Each structure stands twice: as C-alpha cells, then as structure tokens.
C-alpha cells in the first residue's frame, strides 16, 4: 500500500486552497480539514453570544467560553466534503457570510483560540493521510509535513473569486466591500504576533493567478506522487 503523507496548504484568503485540498483528498482518499472553518465557527459563536460587535471584542468572555465550544467535521456524502458542526449544530452556511469574514481575523489573533484549535488539528492529523489548509499548517500545526504548498494570487483576482461566490449564493455585497475585506484580512493575517501567515522555508510556492483548477491540480498531484515515492 502507498505510504500516507501529510499535505499542508497555506496561503492568503481566497487563493483556492480549499478547492485544491478537496480535489487532492478525493483523488488520494485522504481526509480534508478546512481549518479556516474552525476559526470561522468560533467567530460565529462569538457573534451569537454578543462577544463581538463592530468595534468591540470581549476577549475574556470568549476565552472563558472556549471549554464549552465543541467543533466537529461531519462528512456529507451528497456534497462530497465535511461540514462544520458547532456544539452539534451544522453551521456550514452561517460561517461563510461576509459578517463572519469581517470578524474572523480578530478571533484568530487570540493565543488561547489558536492553542485550542492547533491541538485539535494535530489530533486529526496524527495518522497522516490528511490534507489540511489554513495559514499556519506548514509552520506551526505540521512543521514536519512531507509536502507544503504556499498559494498566492493577486488581491484583485482573489476578491473577484470571493465576490462571484457570494453573489452566486445570493449575498448582497459590492466588489469594493469584498476587496476591502480581502485586503484587511491579508494585513491582519500577516501582521499578527501569534502565528502570522508566512511561507515555510521548505514550502513550494504556487501563484495561481493564471492557472485554472485542472492545471493547478495536475501540478500538485505530481508533487504528491513524487513525495509518496521518496
Ligand atoms: O481560509 P479562511 O478564509 O476560511 O480563513 C478564515 C480566517 O481564519 C482567516 O482570516 C485567517 C484565519 N485562519 C488562521 O488564522 N489560521 C488558520 N490555520 C486558518 C484560518
């Protein structure tokens, strides 16, 4: 049987990390974990509890509530991917709104939040055979991952992709709003003191501004196959 490896995919928001990760997991029979969904679920929880408002985040209450937050992925066979459950409730739709996108970076800055999620992510990956995407997977969660991919694309390209997705879902947003959100998150994700987004030294950088999904998938699948043979 083929050796199972750990694949870490990091990069800015809307670089198509999850699309690539899902394609790889399906082709290899690996588990896919979208770590952004975990941070989003905590942001959504904070909004529901009133811990987070436009210019305000009650960090202390959130940190005190962390032991009561249970996150779980459940595979949906119809959709072909795992959905996020927060304390037993499917929150897959609720965590993808522009409001949650606007707050999530603030929640992801909190060291206690990161410690809780990193520990859960490491547990999920302990048997390998996993594709995980996020910001700190190759640097903090799995520094020993056999394959690390760092994805980039211009902010304009990424905002256009996210805008198209939101419009298709029926959300009422403007392109400028989405671009501002992408730029703000880029700034916070790369400037926070705790686990900022950085390219791991041994990561392979892929700029997909001019690559379509299939080209990108073929390119990375080849890298995976080479690693499995090593
Ligand atoms: O990948 P995404 O856009 O769904 O991620 C949502 C937010 O969560 C993003 O602004 C940064 C944060 N995040 C993080 O800090 N670390 C991760 N491993 C994954 C996401």
């Amino acid at each position: 049987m083929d050796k199972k490896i750990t694949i870490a995919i990091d990069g800015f928001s809307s670089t198509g990390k999850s699309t690539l990760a899902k394609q790889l997991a399906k082709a290899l029979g690996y588990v896919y974990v979208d770590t952004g969904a975990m941070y989003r679920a905590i942001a959504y929880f904070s909004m529901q509890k009133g811990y987070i408002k436009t210019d305000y985040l009650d960090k202390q209450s959130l940190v005190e509530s962390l032991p009561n937050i249970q996150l779980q992925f459940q595979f949906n066979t119809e959709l072909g991917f795992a959905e996020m459950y927060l304390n037993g409730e499917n929150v897959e739709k609720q965590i993808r709104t522009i409001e949650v996108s606007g707050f999530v970076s603030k929640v992801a800055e909190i060291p206690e939040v990161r410690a809780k999620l990193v520990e859960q992510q490491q547990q999920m990956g302990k048997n390998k055979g996993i594709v995980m995407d996020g910001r700190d997977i190759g640097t903090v969660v799995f520094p020993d991952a056999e394959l690390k991919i760092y994805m980039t694309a211009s902010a304009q390209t990424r905002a256009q992709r996210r805008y198209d997705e939101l419009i298709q879902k029926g959300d009422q947003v403007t392109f400028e709003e989405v671009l501002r959100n992408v730029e703000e998150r880029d700034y916070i994700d790369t400037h926070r003191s705790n686990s900022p987004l950085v390219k791991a030294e041994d990561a392979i950088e892929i700029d997909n501004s001019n690559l379509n999904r299939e080209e990108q998938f073929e390119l990375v699948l080849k890298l995976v196959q080479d690693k499995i043979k090593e």
Side-chain angles (χ1 to χ4, degrees):
M1 205 177 91
D2 278 345
K3 151 178 116 174
K4 281 193 185 288
I5 66 167
T6 300
I7 305 172
I9 303 181
D10 288 302
F12 288 110
S13 61
S14 306
T15 40
K17 299 186 296 294
S18 65
T19 304
L20 172 67
K22 278 180 203 161
Q23 286 173 310
L24 288 173
K26 194 168 171 207
L28 299 162
Y30 279 20
V31 171
Y32 162 57
V33 177
D34 168 5
T35 63
M38 301 170 80
Y39 289 93
R40 286 172 178 272
I42 296 201
Y44 176 66
F45 174 91
S46 308
M47 280 164 64
Q48 281 206 309
K49 293 279 178 198
Y51 299 159
I52 195 162
K53 301 208 174 83
T54 313
D55 280 319
Y56 167 79
L57 168 63
D58 180 352
K59 280 190 194 171
Q60 199 187 334
S61 298
L62 170 56
V63 170
E64 281 168 11
S65 297
L66 285 176
N68 308 323
I69 301 180
Q70 208 222 345
L71 301 179
Q72 216 192 345
F73 286 102
Q74 261 182 47
F75 195 79
N76 179 324
T77 40
E78 257 170 55
L79 297 175
F81 66 88
E83 294 179 297
M84 181 83 249
Y85 283 72
L86 165 67
N87 292 335
E89 184 199 350
N90 183 335
V91 291
E92 191 55 40
K93 279 209 180 71
Q94 293 88 321
I95 63 171
R96 309 284 170 192
T97 61
I98 189 117
E99 287 79 23
V100 170
S101 298
F103 289 134
V104 63
S105 291
K106 293 187 186 75
V107 168
E109 276 182 316
I110 303 173
E112 290 87 346
V113 169
R114 302 204 71 83
K116 177 185 169 91
L117 298 191
V118 167
E119 195 195 330
Q120 192 176 346
Q121 290 152 9
Q122 287 171 336
Q123 274 298 320
M124 290 190 277
K126 68 180 191 305
N127 296 326
K128 296 188 181 269
I130 195 158
V131 189
M132 198 173 273
D133 76 7
R135 305 292 187 284
D136 58 344
I137 311 305
T139 50
V140 176
V141 182
F142 298 123
D144 297 329
E146 287 85 352
L147 182 64
K148 299 180 186 177
I149 304 290
Y150 187 79
M151 293 178 59
T152 61
S154 71
Q156 286 280 338
T157 305
R158 292 183 285 124
Q160 188 65 52
R161 287 176 189 158
R162 184 53 66 100
Y163 173 75
D164 292 345
E165 258 171 40
L166 290 168
I167 292 294
Q168 212 176 16
K169 278 197 301 180
D171 277 15
Q172 305 231 314
V173 287
T174 63
F175 175 75
E176 286 66 34
E177 215 179 332
V178 178
L179 179 62
R180 211 177 323 120
N181 175 252
V182 163
E183 288 175 341
E184 264 170 29
R185 280 203 290 156
D186 285 0
Y187 185 85
I188 301 178
D189 290 349
T190 48
H191 287 78
R192 65 171 173 240
S193 54
N194 189 3
S195 307
L197 170 65
V198 281
K199 177 173 170 281
E201 257 178 40
D202 51 349
I204 297 167
E205 182 164 341
I206 296 180
D207 181 334
N208 66 13
S209 304
N210 300 309
L211 283 180
N212 68 32
R213 282 177 190 198
E214 285 64 39
E215 289 165 338
Q216 171 175 278
F217 173 61
E218 292 304 327
L219 182 83
V220 180
L221 189 61
K222 174 85 180 57
L223 296 172
V224 174
Q225 285 160 345
D226 290 347
K227 284 288 170 192
I228 290 175
K229 274 191 236 133
E230 260 176 25

